[in-house]
Amino acid sequence: MDAFYASAEQAAKPSLRGKPVVVGGIGPRGVVATASYEARVFGIRSAMATAQARRLCPNAAYLTPRFSLYRDVSEVVMGLLRALSPLVEPLSLDEAFVDLEAGGVEPTPAAVRAVGERLRRDIHAATGLSGSVGLAASKMLAKIASEDAKPDGLLLIPPGTELEMLWPMSVRVIPGVGPATAETLRRAGIATVAETAEAGEAELVRLLGKAHGAGLYAMATGHDDRPVVAERDAKSVSVEDTFEEDLTDRTRVQLEIARLADRCVQRLRAAGRSGRTVVIKVRSYDFSTLTRSETLRGPTDDPAVVREAAARLIDGVDTTTGVRLLGVGVSGLADYTQEDLFAQAASEASAAASATTDPVRGSGAEPGEAAGAVERPRRWLPGLDVHHAEYGAGWVQGSGVGRVTVRFETPWSEPGRVRTFAVDDPDLEPGEPLPLVREALPGGDAGLPGPSTGQATAPGPGPGSGPVPEDEDEDGVDPGAVPGGSGSGPGPGPAAGPGPGAGPGSRPMPGMSRR
DNA sequence: TCTGGGGTCCTAGGACCC
DNA sequence: TCTGGGGTCCTAGGACCC
């Protein structure tokens, strides 16, 4: 999918179509997940600090990701792929390999190209979004072809022409060659794929190690026979948080580790798995990162067991100089839960108890959970869906100083208007993402030029929640340039107070450091 | 106001075992 | 009675991908 998250946001928010959109971390330490093509013109790229992106393009819309929407769209697309072949290997929400041979597609350039083109039409019809297709005789070449085809394109590499296409390219196009490998190669005078192939396998192994060197040599000479593998089981589960300000308080560090352990186990259990090795991750103020791990005697999915292991591990780490990130993970996953029934029953009982009453359980220092029970002060993050009792569906455009600005529009409406409310306005509630396409046509065949993106479809007021046509008057807030999260402070510089409710004191504040 | 979050794979050293 | 040669497991770190 092309600029997936940003494109999905543009499809969902008519006022953002054709404008620079940046999806990613909103906070002071956020990074860009996806920039729309309009935003890339300004030099904004994935993985760039959001703060830097704001400098490059202050007028872009900066939105927090809505993964539930992206997952829904992803499932629709993956469904279309599975209709082509039983062998589909997802790499992420927006990318997958498909083995067309296993799907019985006639192995000729013409037939394969036709399948790719039909797929692109079907994706657009079913999701309103564009995807790009690479067609080739191996996974590596198909991936390179799809990158080359972006945006909104298709590229087929005819058999026999692989090397003439590949050799002039930078070695960086080969998947697995990142900045470090490229630099090692550059120092050896190797910059292109052709030079990589010329270097020979022995030289590459000497430079890069056995596996990497041999693998790179195979790729550079066009050899890649890795099969498309459907449905791989996850090998680890982990969660981590970067804090808006470095943590120095030891008790707070322990508390956060306990919370992360609980979240990690939640995800582990949701997946029906258990794990044997507990890992913690600590990133210091200077970005240096270390991990510590402990392998248990058997796999567990007991939150108390994971929490205690994580607590032992953090005990051995000096955190006095400041911690910017903490993480907890579990690996060595077993296919199913083997926890002994006593431990499980006990932990469930205590979880139930602490849900009603309050913690005070276990050893002293672990108010771990309970966090979820207490209503955290609502945070109106830019991009999130809201619903207003009178005005219907909309999304948060910005918030600050006790106010939240909402734009009322839906994926199938005209660009909507902006209104501002008090953050605690009782008529305003969090909302759910709306489908990008009015009625996702099943099967996805047939014409019906994709609704959504392009033109204004029938302006009929939505079913029920109309976009409030007439009526105007509202307090200020010129929609004009799609302000990011501002609205506060004087002038342009969003005085980005660390959030609403920041009292006079500049203390950490309880609930506000994370989303 | 530099640098997210969730993963995978590989390497290397030490412990331990036969 | 100067130190073999495997193999596996565990731990830690690093590169890379989206």
Coordinates of all heavy atoms in Angstrom, one line a residue, chain A residues 92 143 176 178 180-181 276 291 293 295, chain C residues 9-18:
Chain A
S92 N 3.8 -7.0 7.0 CA 3.4 -6.0 7.9 C 1.9 -5.7 7.6 O 1.3 -6.5 6.8 CB 4.2 -4.7 7.7 OG 4.0 -4.2 6.4
K143 N 9.9 -7.5 -4.5 CA 9.9 -6.4 -3.5 C 10.6 -5.2 -4.1 O 10.1 -4.1 -4.0 CB 10.7 -6.8 -2.2 CG 10.6 -5.8 -1.1 CD 11.0 -6.4 0.2 CE 11.1 -5.4 1.3 NZ 9.9 -4.6 1.5
G176 N 17.8 -6.0 3.5 CA 18.8 -6.5 4.4 C 20.1 -5.6 4.4 O 20.9 -5.8 5.3
G178 N 21.3 -2.3 5.2 CA 21.0 -1.0 5.8 C 22.2 -0.1 5.8 O 23.2 -0.3 5.2
A180 N 24.5 0.4 8.1 CA 25.8 -0.1 8.6 C 26.5 -1.0 7.5 O 27.7 -0.9 7.2 CB 25.6 -0.9 9.9
T181 N 25.7 -1.9 6.9 CA 26.2 -2.7 5.9 C 26.7 -1.9 4.7 O 27.8 -2.1 4.1 CB 25.2 -3.7 5.4 OG1 24.7 -4.5 6.5 CG2 25.7 -4.7 4.4
R276 N 9.0 -18.5 27.9 CA 10.0 -19.0 28.9 C 11.0 -18.0 29.2 O 11.6 -18.0 30.3 CB 10.6 -20.2 28.3 CG 10.8 -21.3 29.3 CD 11.5 -22.5 28.7 NE 12.6 -22.8 29.7 CZ 13.8 -23.2 29.3 NH1 14.1 -23.4 28.0 NH2 14.7 -23.5 30.2
T291 N 19.9 -4.8 27.3 CA 18.8 -5.7 27.6 C 19.3 -6.7 28.7 O 20.6 -6.9 28.8 CB 18.4 -6.5 26.4 OG1 19.5 -7.3 26.0 CG2 18.0 -5.7 25.3
S293 N 18.0 -10.5 30.4 CA 17.0 -11.6 30.2 C 17.2 -12.7 31.3 O 18.3 -12.8 31.8 CB 17.1 -12.1 28.8 OG 18.3 -12.8 28.6
T295 N 15.8 -16.8 31.8 CA 15.0 -17.9 31.3 C 14.5 -18.7 32.4 O 15.2 -19.1 33.3 CB 15.9 -18.8 30.4 OG1 16.3 -18.0 29.3 CG2 15.1 -20.0 29.9
Chain C
dC9 P 19.1 -26.8 22.7 OP1 17.9 -27.5 22.9 OP2 19.4 -26.0 21.5 O5' 19.5 -25.9 23.9 C5' 19.8 -26.5 25.2 C4' 20.2 -25.4 26.2 O4' 21.6 -25.0 25.9 C3' 19.3 -24.1 26.1 O3' 18.9 -23.7 27.4 C2' 20.3 -23.1 25.4 C1' 21.7 -23.6 25.9 N1 22.7 -23.3 24.9 C2 23.9 -22.7 25.4 O2 24.0 -22.5 26.6 N3 24.9 -22.4 24.5 C4 24.7 -22.6 23.2 N4 25.8 -22.3 22.4 C5 23.6 -23.2 22.7 C6 22.6 -23.5 23.6
dC10 P 17.9 -22.5 27.5 OP1 17.0 -22.9 28.6 OP2 17.3 -22.2 26.2 O5' 18.8 -21.3 28.0 C5' 19.7 -21.5 29.1 C4' 20.6 -20.3 29.2 O4' 21.6 -20.4 28.2 C3' 19.9 -19.0 29.1 O3' 20.1 -18.2 30.2 C2' 20.5 -18.3 27.8 C1' 21.8 -19.0 27.7 N1 22.3 -19.2 26.3 C2 23.6 -18.7 26.0 O2 24.2 -18.1 26.9 N3 24.0 -18.8 24.7 C4 23.3 -19.4 23.8 N4 23.8 -19.5 22.5 C5 22.0 -19.9 24.1 C6 21.5 -19.8 25.3
dT11 P 19.4 -16.8 30.4 OP1 19.2 -16.7 31.9 OP2 18.2 -16.8 29.5 O5' 20.4 -15.7 29.9 C5' 21.7 -15.7 30.5 C4' 22.5 -14.7 29.8 O4' 22.9 -15.2 28.5 C3' 21.9 -13.3 29.5 O3' 22.6 -12.3 30.1 C2' 21.9 -13.2 28.0 C1' 22.9 -14.2 27.5 N1 22.7 -14.8 26.2 C2 23.7 -14.7 25.3 O2 24.7 -14.2 25.5 N3 23.4 -15.3 24.1 C4 22.2 -16.0 23.7 O4 22.1 -16.5 22.6 C5 21.2 -16.0 24.8 C7 19.9 -16.7 24.5 C6 21.5 -15.4 25.9
dA12 P 22.1 -10.8 30.1 OP1 22.7 -10.2 31.3 OP2 20.6 -10.8 29.9 O5' 22.8 -10.2 28.8 C5' 24.2 -10.1 28.8 C4' 24.6 -9.5 27.5 O4' 24.4 -10.4 26.4 C3' 23.8 -8.2 27.1 O3' 24.6 -7.1 27.0 C2' 23.1 -8.6 25.8 C1' 23.9 -9.7 25.3 N9 23.1 -10.7 24.5 C8 21.9 -11.3 24.8 N7 21.5 -12.1 23.9 C5 22.5 -12.1 22.9 C6 22.6 -12.8 21.7 N6 21.7 -13.7 21.3 N1 23.7 -12.6 21.0 C2 24.6 -11.7 21.5 N3 24.6 -11.0 22.6 C4 23.5 -11.3 23.3
dG13 P 24.1 -5.7 26.6 OP1 24.9 -4.7 27.3 OP2 22.6 -5.7 26.8 O5' 24.4 -5.7 25.1 C5' 25.7 -6.1 24.6 C4' 25.8 -6.1 23.1 O4' 25.1 -7.3 22.7 C3' 25.1 -4.9 22.5 O3' 26.0 -4.3 21.6 C2' 23.9 -5.4 21.8 C1' 24.3 -6.9 21.6 N9 23.2 -7.8 21.4 C8 22.1 -8.0 22.3 N7 21.3 -8.9 21.9 C5 21.8 -9.4 20.7 C6 21.3 -10.4 19.8 O6 20.3 -11.1 19.9 N1 22.2 -10.5 18.7 C2 23.3 -9.8 18.5 N2 24.0 -10.0 17.4 N3 23.8 -8.8 19.3 C4 23.0 -8.7 20.4
dG14 P 25.7 -2.9 21.0 OP1 26.9 -2.1 21.1 OP2 24.4 -2.4 21.5 O5' 25.5 -3.2 19.4 C5' 26.3 -4.2 18.8 C4' 25.7 -4.5 17.5 O4' 24.7 -5.6 17.6 C3' 25.0 -3.4 16.8 O3' 25.4 -3.3 15.5 C2' 23.5 -3.7 16.9 C1' 23.6 -5.3 16.9 N9 22.4 -5.9 17.5 C8 21.8 -5.6 18.7 N7 20.8 -6.4 19.0 C5 20.7 -7.2 17.8 C6 19.8 -8.2 17.5 O6 18.8 -8.6 18.2 N1 20.0 -8.8 16.3 C2 21.1 -8.5 15.5 N2 21.2 -9.2 14.4 N3 22.0 -7.5 15.8 C4 21.7 -6.9 16.9
dA15 P 25.1 -2.0 14.6 OP1 26.5 -1.5 14.2 OP2 24.1 -1.2 15.3 O5' 24.4 -2.6 13.3 C5' 25.0 -3.8 12.7 C4' 23.9 -4.3 11.8 O4' 23.0 -5.1 12.6 C3' 23.1 -3.2 11.0 O3' 23.1 -3.5 9.6 C2' 21.7 -3.3 11.6 C1' 21.7 -4.8 12.2 N9 20.8 -4.9 13.3 C8 20.8 -4.2 14.5 N7 19.9 -4.5 15.3 C5 19.2 -5.5 14.7 C6 18.1 -6.3 15.1 N6 17.5 -6.2 16.3 N1 17.7 -7.3 14.3 C2 18.3 -7.4 13.1 N3 19.3 -6.7 12.6 C4 19.7 -5.8 13.5
dC16 P 22.5 -2.5 8.6 OP1 23.2 -2.7 7.3 OP2 22.5 -1.1 9.2 O5' 21.0 -3.0 8.5 C5' 20.8 -4.4 8.1 C4' 19.3 -4.7 8.3 O4' 19.0 -4.8 9.7 C3' 18.4 -3.6 7.7 O3' 17.9 -4.0 6.5 C2' 17.3 -3.4 8.8 C1' 17.6 -4.5 9.8 N1 17.4 -4.1 11.2 C2 16.4 -4.8 11.9 O2 15.8 -5.7 11.3 N3 16.1 -4.5 13.2 C4 16.8 -3.5 13.8 N4 16.5 -3.2 15.0 C5 17.8 -2.8 13.1 C6 18.1 -3.1 11.8
dC17 P 17.0 -3.0 5.6 OP1 17.2 -3.4 4.2 OP2 17.3 -1.6 6.1 O5' 15.5 -3.4 6.1 C5' 15.1 -4.7 6.0 C4' 13.7 -4.8 6.5 O4' 13.7 -4.9 7.9 C3' 12.9 -3.6 6.1 O3' 11.9 -3.8 5.2 C2' 12.3 -3.1 7.4 C1' 12.6 -4.2 8.4 N1 13.0 -3.5 9.7 C2 12.2 -3.7 10.8 O2 11.2 -4.5 10.7 N3 12.5 -3.1 12.0 C4 13.6 -2.3 12.0 N4 13.9 -1.7 13.2 C5 14.4 -2.1 10.9 C6 14.1 -2.7 9.7
dC18 P 11.1 -2.6 4.5 OP1 10.7 -3.0 3.2 OP2 11.9 -1.4 4.7 O5' 9.8 -2.5 5.4 C5' 9.0 -3.6 5.6 C4' 7.9 -3.3 6.5 O4' 8.5 -3.0 7.8 C3' 7.1 -2.0 6.2 O3' 5.7 -2.2 6.3 C2' 7.7 -0.9 7.1 C1' 8.0 -1.8 8.4 N1 9.1 -1.2 9.2 C2 8.9 -1.1 10.5 O2 7.8 -1.5 11.0 N3 9.8 -0.6 11.3 C4 11.0 -0.1 10.8 N4 11.9 0.4 11.6 C5 11.2 -0.2 9.4 C6 10.2 -0.7 8.6

